Amino acid sequence: MEAAMEDDVKDDHNHNYCGSGSSKVQMSDLTTVPPPACPAAVSGGEPKSRQGRLWSGGSVGSRFMDSDTGSESSEVSEADLTLTAAANTEGKLCLGSSSKFLLNAMAVEDYRKNHWPNLEEAIDRLLFQNPSDHTSVSYAQIYGYIYKCVCQQHSELLYSDLTSKITDRLLLVSSQLQCCPAENLIENFNVALTQYTASLECIVPVFIYLNKFYIESKLNRDLKDDLMKLFADLVAERHLSTLMPLLIEAHSMPFHVQPSTMASVVKGLYSLRPEWAQLAPELFSGFIPQIYPPAVESELPDYADHDRKLQMELFMNGFPRGDQSRKRASEDS
């Protein structure tokens, strides 16, 4: 009698036993659903007390037992079990290497189709436009494209495309300067440098997000410095051997070239490479302060002699010394 009663109470305190017949299933006979293939901690979803259990030795399509009520749930397929397990993995998406490669490829394709073409068109409008042209460009829209590219981790690709685009244009400018006559090189070089500098005043601010979060933080450089270096390498340095003698000759003949053009070219060359001033110190000292070392008292007569020679050259070239009648009487003695 005691043995029979012992058999009747062998179920656990939650009464987890099969509802059909007298065949009882102990807790040790029940197994939980196998964890998903992706290694992630199971959290969220239903509480543990409500999670389904499988019959021991049953197939994937076996019936569930509810640990609270002991009632059987409806049959589920293997796909349903996979989705249920995936739902309990902290909401993380488990992707294989092939899936990640596909997503990356789709992201790059979206950049190539939807983002870069619009940016390329805007850069074309801003580069080397004539000062008289009024180009209509939506800076807010361009900034929006750049912001998306950086947020989608296309910073390196965007920076590469930007520099490649500007490199192609600078190579074209360099070839055009190569074909122009020598007497027009100073003026044409000034136009190219002025237009390029003006275009950077528009391009650099609109790419500020790329500059801050990629070029400055990862490359430890500055976008404007990089783009000015491109002009120095691809344009200025290639024509320096021809341009410098022309500038020295023009400086020796006052007003042979417009003073504003001379000042713009010399200051531009100095901003690109300050060391170029050592190639013609006298030329650069006429437009850039402190090219020569500080003056000393023993060299004052030499400076005065240099000024007298300069005044004489100006006088010989038709520039009067001015009205001397208004000089004070004490200055005549």
Side-chain angles (χ1 to χ4, degrees):
M1 182 69 177
E2 291 179 359
M5 291 178 63
E6 217 171 87
D7 292 335
D8 292 334
V9 297
K10 277 185 179 178
D11 56 283
D12 64 334
H13 64 280
N14 284 329
H15 307 289
N16 289 320
Y17 55 86
C18 179
S20 61
S22 61
S23 58
K24 298 179 177 62
V25 179
Q26 303 301 325
M27 292 296 294
S28 59
D29 296 330
L30 299 177
T31 57
T32 57
V33 179
C38 176
V42 177
S43 63
E46 295 185 357
K48 293 183 179 180
S49 61
R50 298 291 300 175
Q51 291 178 356
R53 301 176 180 273
L54 288 176
W55 289 99
S56 175
S59 63
V60 178
S62 301
R63 298 173 181 268
F64 277 113
M65 291 297 299
D66 193 299
S67 61
D68 286 343
T69 63
S71 60
E72 297 178 357
S73 63
S74 59
E75 289 195 13
V76 292
S77 63
E78 182 177 358
D80 294 332
L81 290 179
T82 304
L83 292 176
T84 302
N88 293 328
T89 58
E90 296 182 348
K92 296 180 179 179
L93 182 62
C94 302
L95 298 176
S97 59
S98 60
S99 300
K100 291 179 180 179
F101 177 80
L102 180 60
L103 288 178
N104 291 335
M106 291 174 62
V108 172
E109 183 180 3
D110 179 65
Y111 165 82
R112 290 297 183 194
K113 288 185 177 181
N114 301 321
H115 297 318
W116 174 244
N118 296 288
L119 293 174
E120 184 179 24
E121 181 181 359
I123 294 171
D124 280 334
R125 293 181 179 182
L126 294 175
L127 277 175
F128 310 115
Q129 58 178 328
N130 294 325
S132 59
D133 294 344
H134 299 283
T135 305
S136 177
V137 176
S138 175
Y139 291 96
Q141 188 176 20
I142 299 173
Y143 183 86
Y145 285 126
I146 297 170
Y147 179 84
K148 291 180 181 178
C149 291
V150 175
C151 291
Q152 294 175 5
Q153 301 182 1
H154 295 316
S155 300
E156 183 178 0
L157 188 59
L158 178 60
Y159 177 74
S160 176
D161 287 340
L162 174 63
T163 52
S164 297
K165 180 68 177 179
I166 294 181
T167 296
D168 292 340
R169 295 302 300 266
L170 290 178
L171 290 175
L172 177 62
V173 170
S174 181
S175 63
Q176 292 174 349
L177 292 176
Q178 190 72 34
C179 299
C180 75
E183 58 270 17
N184 297 332
L185 181 60
I186 296 178
E187 183 66 33
N188 291 344
F189 181 87
N190 180 58
V191 171
L193 178 59
T194 302
Q195 289 182 348
Y196 184 73
T197 304
S199 67
L200 293 190
E201 295 298 324
C202 300
I203 293 175
V204 172
V206 82
F207 278 85
I208 188 173
Y209 201 74
L210 175 69
N211 187 41
K212 181 178 181 181
F213 290 96
Y214 176 70
I215 302 175
E216 289 183 353
S217 62
K218 293 187 177 181
L219 304 182
N220 297 320
R221 299 200 302 266
D222 180 75
L223 178 60
K224 185 175 182 179
D225 293 342
D226 285 359
L227 298 183
M228 291 300 293
K229 185 177 183 300
L230 285 178
F231 189 93
D233 294 340
L234 302 177
V235 180
E237 190 172 12
R238 296 187 178 190
H239 299 278
L240 189 65
S241 58
T242 305
L243 185 63
M244 194 64 70
L246 294 175
L247 290 172
I248 296 174
E249 180 183 2
H251 184 63
S252 63
M253 297 184 296
F255 296 94
H256 180 72
V257 176
Q258 289 292 331
S260 58
T261 301
M262 286 288 297
S264 177
V265 172
V266 173
K267 291 180 179 179
L269 290 175
Y270 184 79
S271 65
L272 294 174
R273 298 277 177 82
E275 59 270 21
W276 285 343
Q278 303 305 318
L279 299 176
E282 185 176 355
L283 168 66
F284 281 83
S285 64
F287 304 93
I288 308 295
Q290 300 180 352
I291 294 298
Y292 285 116
V296 294
E297 185 177 358
S298 60
E299 296 179 354
L300 290 179
D302 296 334
Y303 298 146
D305 185 61
H306 179 271
D307 289 341
R308 282 194 296 269
K309 289 182 179 180
L310 178 61
Q311 292 178 8
M312 184 60 66
E313 289 178 1
L314 292 173
F315 180 76
M316 296 298 294
N317 284 278
F319 295 95
R321 300 179 63 180
D323 187 6
Q324 303 293 320
S325 62
R326 301 184 63 183
K327 293 178 63 178
R328 290 177 295 182
S330 60
E331 294 179 356
D332 295 334
S333 57

